[in-house]
Amino acid sequence: MDPQNMSVAIEDMFNLDFSIPRVGTPTLESPLKDVIFVEDSERISYCADPTANDCLRAKGMPIPAFIAAGPRRLLYHDAAWTRAAIVTCGGLCPGLNDVIKSLVNTLYYVYGVDNIFGIQYGYSGLVPSFGLKPISLTPDVVDAIHTTGGTILGSSRGEQSTEEIVRTLDRLNINILFTIGGDGTQRGAHDIAVELKKRNLPISVVGIPKTIDNDLNFMDKTFGFETAVQETGPIISCAHNEAKGAFNGIGLVRLMGRDSGFIAANASLANSLVNFCLIPEVEFQLRGEHGFLEALEHRLLRKHHAVIVVAEGAGQNLITDDSAPQKDKSGNILHKDIGLFLKDMIIKYFKERKIEISMKYFDPSYIIRSTPTCGMDSIFCLNLAQHAVHAAMAGMTDLVVGNWQGYFTYVPIPLATMARRKIDPRGQLWQSVLLTTRQNQDWK
């Protein structure tokens, strides 16, 4: 990093607010025994670059750092009087049931909370007009739910009235609300926390980061992502087998990744049969001297087969459509289908050139997101849930549990949702993809 850019980055870091609010002062002794308690003064440095931190020290500025996650000596919520609620929102993702189970078991067995409720179908379950009753959750109810994908609570998209949600929480005497979801869910959680503060209601709102696209800010990864990448492996292998099984065979795989290409990029590294990886962060052209189709033709002339992985948000600049952008219930712009578009363009291009190809198209999106978690992802879910409960019982609120440089942290929701995390085209991840696919050999 050159000195000028470093100076700008340092000023940006100085303006970040890593503080975590509380609903009240913790005064109750924790029931946990033989554990290493985390003090509120313990921090995880935001910047791993010692040069940047040295520059901050030289300027007399504090080092930006997250509050470390973990059990606290003093609690705010009394387990005997605590009523906790759990809600899952947005699209399905591997690990939802794992998180629900771990939240319930940690509340029940570790802290002694035995009033735990599952809210049905997202935030809709907290709006009386939908007529959805909370589900009582116990360790027996959640005992084996981690073995299946999806969520036993159901999920939904769409904004609901914050005021109605808060009134419902108050009426149900809920002390803690766990929100499992991505940026839209957590923005809703922040609004709930703000409204609760206005009404002087001491209810902790704690988020667990769920986004299969791995695009939440200020965290290295979110749960479900690792499983999603693992599940792409057999599909990419099938695409390769189909491509190799015919002269000029092409296997085209469309993966999730609305605005960030982390699944596509990591899938291309995990199964190095991929020859072209296309992501939203790197624009490309179809035709011309540096066009993708010419690069694909060059690849077929050399190898007579190709495997292409494309993220759903890639190449949106190529699809002309005069209609107004459509949005889903969460307010996300619905992208045009780059997979089918690319398939049609490839077939048209080689037909014009009278070059025979064999095209096979794969779209495993819903298979990947509805599967149970892999082993390491399941452990990650458990850790996130445990740290969420530790924060909630200590009276912390308006936060999401994160993971940064190998440490679990507490991230203020406004920071986590201020912008989507994206791949840096100059960074190590994308450079690894280019070295592995060697797509630049054909794409010149």
Side-chain angles (χ1 to χ4, degrees), residues 182-421:
D183 57 345
T185 303
Q186 305 311 338
R187 287 193 188 97
H190 171 68
D191 291 342
I192 292 169
V194 170
E195 185 65 22
L196 289 168
K197 184 177 180 181
K198 284 182 185 176
R199 300 182 183 217
N200 294 316
L201 294 173
I203 302 173
S204 292
V205 180
V206 177
I208 297 93
K210 178 234 71 176
T211 163
I212 202 169
D213 291 347
N214 200 36
D215 59 357
L216 270 179
N217 247 333
F218 296 93
M219 53 192 70
D220 289 332
K221 69 172 182 176
T222 52
F223 78 81
F225 171 71
E226 189 169 333
T227 301
V229 171
Q230 178 173 301
E231 290 296 311
T232 65
I235 296 158
I236 290 172
S237 292
C238 289
H240 179 257
N241 293 339
E242 289 285 353
K244 286 278 286 186
F247 183 78
N248 284 347
I250 300 173
L252 174 59
V253 183
R254 175 188 178 273
L255 298 177
M256 286 186 163
R258 187 171 53 230
D259 298 294
S260 305
F262 288 104
I263 293 179
N266 282 274
S268 300
L269 296 177
N271 191 339
S272 55
L273 296 171
V274 178
N275 307 117
F276 293 95
C277 177
L278 310 175
I279 60 173
E281 294 89 340
V282 179
E283 284 195 359
F284 63 96
Q285 298 301 317
L286 278 180
R287 298 192 180 229
E289 183 181 355
H290 302 292
F292 165 71
L293 294 173
E294 278 75 7
L296 178 58
E297 180 181 0
H298 190 259
R299 162 76 192 182
L300 292 182
L301 288 172
R302 290 192 304 110
K303 294 290 188 176
H304 302 298
H305 74 278
V307 176
I308 307 161
V309 166
V310 58
E312 64 178 298
Q316 294 299 304
N317 59 302
L318 306 174
I319 307 175
T320 56
D321 190 341
D322 295 331
S323 63
Q326 301 295 310
K327 294 184 178 182
D328 63 19
K329 290 183 178 180
S330 298
N332 301 306
I333 293 177
L334 293 172
H335 290 322
K336 305 301 185 295
D337 195 325
I338 184 61
L340 293 176
F341 173 82
L342 206 57
K343 173 191 170 185
D344 292 342
M345 291 298 102
I346 291 171
I347 292 172
K348 179 181 178 181
Y349 175 85
F350 285 102
K351 185 176 181 180
E352 289 174 356
R353 276 168 164 64
K354 295 181 171 54
I355 299 174
E356 181 183 352
I357 63 168
S358 175
M359 167 66 72
K360 299 296 186 295
Y361 180 64
F362 301 77
D363 185 349
S365 301
Y366 296 107
I367 296 172
I368 288 172
R369 77 176 198 171
S370 58
T371 190
T373 52
C374 65
M376 294 305 295
D377 218 352
S378 186
I379 294 170
F380 187 58
C381 290
L382 182 145
N383 286 326
L384 288 172
Q386 288 179 341
H387 288 302
V389 175
H390 294 323
M393 292 301 293
M396 298 182 191
T397 191
D398 201 7
L399 69 99
V400 62
V401 183
N403 185 266
W404 192 253
Q405 299 174 28
Y407 296 92
F408 286 94
T409 63
Y410 294 141
V411 185
I413 291 179
L415 276 189
T417 59
M418 65 186 297
R420 282 200 171 97
R421 191 166 78 99

